[in-house]
Amino acid sequence: LAVALAVGAVEGVAVRFREPAMLAILPIVGVFFVAMVIGEMFRVTLPGSRQTAPMATAAALAFAMTVDSPNVTSEGYEGALVVAVTAVAMVVGLIPKVIRGRPGRLPDLANRLIGIAVAALLFREVPISQGRTVLDLQASWPAYRLALVMVLVSAIALTVEVFLSASVRAARSHAPFLRTLEDEFRAAFGLTAALSATGALIALAERPMGIVAIPLFLFPLVLTQFAVRRQSAIRRTYGQTIRTLSRLTELGGYTEPGHASRVATLSMAMGHELGMSERDVLDLEYAALLPDVGPVSLT
């Protein structure tokens, strides 16, 4: 579905690329494109091996809901342009990862692209009153109403992404879908709220401030990413410590090589089948890795 959206959007934009209306919005498109590429290059890994790109997602949401800026009227572009630019930015941002042998998970990229497409369609394409879209109606709305609608559109788009991610994760781990969906919402709630607010804030601030609003309001997400990376590093170090301790029995000759990892893998599979939460499955994994450590101290 994501590939079909991307190809169709790129073809539609290519047909209209030389039109005067398209050429007029190239500066603002270029700034959003660069912001999304940089965001894709600096993705973060959340607990549960979830990969996301907060900067790229916030920039894409703002691009989907941009109305106008002081020097450039952006009302002319359609949802297809949002999808096309986002898809190309994802591909360009993926190139350095591929070169370094860490291409990332394609389903995560597809889910995010579909979520952005939903935001663009809801804001720019779907009629909500007398055949008029949100983009058509926003000129007569007070600022607070437009802000609320933007946050709502962002939240719906990110909810679609979470729903798709839960579907993929449930199919991969054979876990109950409702339990997986609950874990996904719990893991993504804080980030979803921040991205919804940031995307709406950039789109609103761009009207009086112009394209300078894009890097200005994306900067707090940069600081957030550093904090998330640090927390992820601490979690990885903790997990590596547990796995190192679990190998002591193998090195001491008390258990066969790979015994602890096989027990942990089987235990986690059973935990998923039984509908345990993600946090409980993690505790189960650590518990399954360590039960044989005691004999190391015995003569």
Side-chain angles (χ1 to χ4, degrees), residues 97-234:
K97 299 287 185 179
V98 173
I99 294 175
R100 288 183 289 178
R102 295 184 297 173
R105 295 182 177 87
L106 293 181
D108 292 339
L109 295 174
N111 294 339
R112 281 197 285 119
L113 181 61
I114 294 173
I116 298 303
V118 169
L121 290 174
L122 289 178
F123 194 85
R124 316 189 83 86
E125 305 292 343
V126 177
I128 61 173
S129 177
Q130 299 178 350
R132 304 176 69 189
T133 64
V134 174
L135 184 62
D136 298 327
L137 295 170
Q138 55 81 28
S140 61
W141 287 352
Y144 76 89
R145 178 182 295 181
L146 179 59
L148 290 176
V149 171
M150 285 181 171
V151 172
L152 179 61
V153 169
S154 299
I156 293 174
L158 294 172
T159 300
V160 170
E161 179 186 341
V162 170
F163 186 88
L164 294 173
S165 298
S167 301
V168 174
R169 186 174 290 267
R172 184 186 300 144
S173 62
H174 303 284
F177 174 73
L178 292 180
R179 167 58 72 181
T180 307
L181 185 62
E182 180 182 345
D183 289 336
E184 289 294 322
F185 270 110
R186 183 182 294 114
F189 177 77
L191 187 60
T192 297
L195 292 178
S196 300
T198 303
L201 187 61
I202 294 173
L204 287 171
E206 193 186 348
R207 180 181 295 181
M209 298 179 61
I211 57 179
V212 71
I214 301 171
L216 181 63
F217 289 99
L218 283 178
F219 183 72
L221 283 180
V222 176
L223 302 180
T224 303
Q225 286 197 201
F226 280 116
V228 171
R229 285 177 180 272
R230 187 176 183 84
Q231 183 186 31
S232 298
I234 294 174

Side-chain angles (χ1 to χ4, degrees), residues 36-43 53 92-94 96-97 100 229:
M36 283 186 271
V37 169
I38 295 174
E40 291 293 341
M41 292 173 62
F42 294 96
R43 295 196 302 267
V92 175
L94 198 63
K97 299 287 185 179
R100 288 183 289 178
R229 285 177 180 272

Side-chain angles (χ1 to χ4, degrees), residues 204-288:
L204 287 171
E206 193 186 348
R207 180 181 295 181
M209 298 179 61
I211 57 179
V212 71
I214 301 171
L216 181 63
F217 289 99
L218 283 178
F219 183 72
L221 283 180
V222 176
L223 302 180
T224 303
Q225 286 197 201
F226 280 116
V228 171
R229 285 177 180 272
R230 187 176 183 84
Q231 183 186 31
S232 298
I234 294 174
R235 289 177 178 270
R236 285 196 302 271
T237 301
Y238 183 80
Q240 291 169 357
T241 303
I242 297 294
R243 291 176 178 83
T244 300
L245 288 174
S246 70
R247 295 194 61 211
L248 290 178
T249 56
E250 300 177 15
L251 298 176
Y254 293 97
T255 59
E256 297 179 358
H259 169 73
S261 62
R262 288 193 297 272
V263 172
T265 300
L266 180 60
S267 300
M268 291 171 63
M270 295 173 64
H272 287 306
E273 291 282 356
L274 293 172
M276 295 175 65
S277 67
E278 184 178 19
R279 184 177 302 175
D280 289 340
V281 170
L282 182 62
D283 291 340
L284 178 63
E285 178 188 10
Y286 291 161

